[in-house]
């Protein structure tokens, strides 16, 4: 097992404050990615870095800096947990699975888990994932339809939900950024 670990991880465990700090940086990156995907839908093509930065009211260097911080934070959080992934992978190694495949799958799962945990726990009130996804759909639909001049009544009708649900979902319940 040491062959897999050597040079990849450190023996140093992260404390709570470090995990929170890394999580906040990752959250900013996820918000940027979300904003980029909405801008892509609006423009009909992949936005340039300049377009994305402009829509976020920041310069390109600030945008690049935030994206790099997010990537480094994700990497550090994952690498600090590689030993956990390895210890779990070892349990299944004798069942005929390739250790490298187990580790790779474990790291992918760890990344997915980090992002899911941030979605679940960065809100003031915890909202189940399926409701969070529904709120995102509602907000995206609202943005698209309002650009076409369609009111909340039209939005509710197009989503087949009540006007109150649209109002509740779109009035300040999904902050874009928490910087």
């Amino acid at each position: 097992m040491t062959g897999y670990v050597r040079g990849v991880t450190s023996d140093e465990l992260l404390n709570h404050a470090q995990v929170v700090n890394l999580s906040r940086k990752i959250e900013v990156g996820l918000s940027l990615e979300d904003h980029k995907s909405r801008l892509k839908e609006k423009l009909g093509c992949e936005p340039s870095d300049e377009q994305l930065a402009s829509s976020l009211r920041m310069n390109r260097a600030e945008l690049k800096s935030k994206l790099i911080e997010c990537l480094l934070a994700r990497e550090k959080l994952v690498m600090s947990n590689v030993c956990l992934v390895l210890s779990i992978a070892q349990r299944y190694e004798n069942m005929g699975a390739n250790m490298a495949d187990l580790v790779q799958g474990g790291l992918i799962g760890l990344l997915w888990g980090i992002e899911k945990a941030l979605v679940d726990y960065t809100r003031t009130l915890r909202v189940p994932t399926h409701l969070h996804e529904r709120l995102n759909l509602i907000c995206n639909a609202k943005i698209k339809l309002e650009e076409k001049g369609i009111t909340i009544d039209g939005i509710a009708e197009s989503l087949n939900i009540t006007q109150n649900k649209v109002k509740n979902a779109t009035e300040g319940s999904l902050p874009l950024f928490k910087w």
Side-chain angles (χ1 to χ4, degrees):
M1 178 170 132
T2 56
Y4 291 105
V5 179
R6 187 167 291 131
V8 176
T9 65
S10 68
D11 295 329
E12 183 181 318
L13 294 177
L14 298 176
N15 63 35
H16 178 71
Q18 290 170 317
V19 171
V20 169
N21 185 34
L22 292 172
S23 297
R24 286 186 180 141
K25 290 177 182 180
I26 295 168
E27 181 184 4
V28 168
L30 292 173
S31 295
L32 291 172
E33 289 298 321
D34 185 50
H35 184 82
K36 182 178 181 178
S37 68
R38 284 193 307 242
L39 186 59
K40 179 180 178 180
E41 287 179 21
K42 182 178 178 181
L43 296 174
C45 64
E46 192 71 29
S48 68
D49 288 346
E50 197 63 43
Q51 289 172 317
L52 181 58
S54 175
S55 72
L56 292 166
R57 295 186 176 110
M58 63 174 65
N59 64 45
R60 192 171 169 199
E62 289 173 306
L63 174 64
K64 285 287 187 189
S65 174
K66 291 201 181 295
L67 290 171
I68 290 169
E69 278 183 9
C70 172
L71 290 174
L72 292 174
R74 282 177 58 159
E75 184 176 317
K76 185 167 185 170
L77 196 54
V78 168
M79 289 305 168
S80 69
N81 287 288
V82 168
C83 288
L84 171 66
V85 170
L86 290 172
S87 69
I88 293 170
Q90 276 186 322
R91 295 180 197 166
Y92 298 95
E93 185 177 28
N94 294 332
M95 295 181 171
N98 180 339
M99 183 65 159
D101 290 341
L102 290 170
V103 171
Q104 182 179 18
L107 292 174
I108 290 169
L110 184 59
L111 283 170
W112 181 83
I114 289 168
E115 291 180 8
K116 183 176 181 339
L118 287 172
V119 167
D120 285 347
Y121 296 106
T122 56
R123 301 177 58 90
T124 304
L125 298 173
R126 187 185 179 288
V127 176
T129 303
H130 74 282
L131 289 179
H132 178 76
E133 290 169 359
R134 181 179 286 174
L135 289 173
N136 277 334
L137 286 173
I138 292 169
C139 286
N140 289 337
K142 180 182 181 223
I143 291 167
K144 286 179 188 176
L145 294 171
E146 282 181 340
E147 288 171 356
K148 295 178 182 179
I150 298 174
T151 64
I152 289 183
D153 300 339
I155 295 170
E157 185 178 324
S158 70
L159 295 172
N160 198 24
I161 60 175
T162 67
Q163 294 172 11
N164 283 339
K165 286 183 181 179
V166 173
K167 287 178 186 172
N168 290 339
T170 58
E171 291 176 359
S173 63
L174 281 179
L176 283 178
F177 301 101
K178 293 180 183 175
W179 328 31

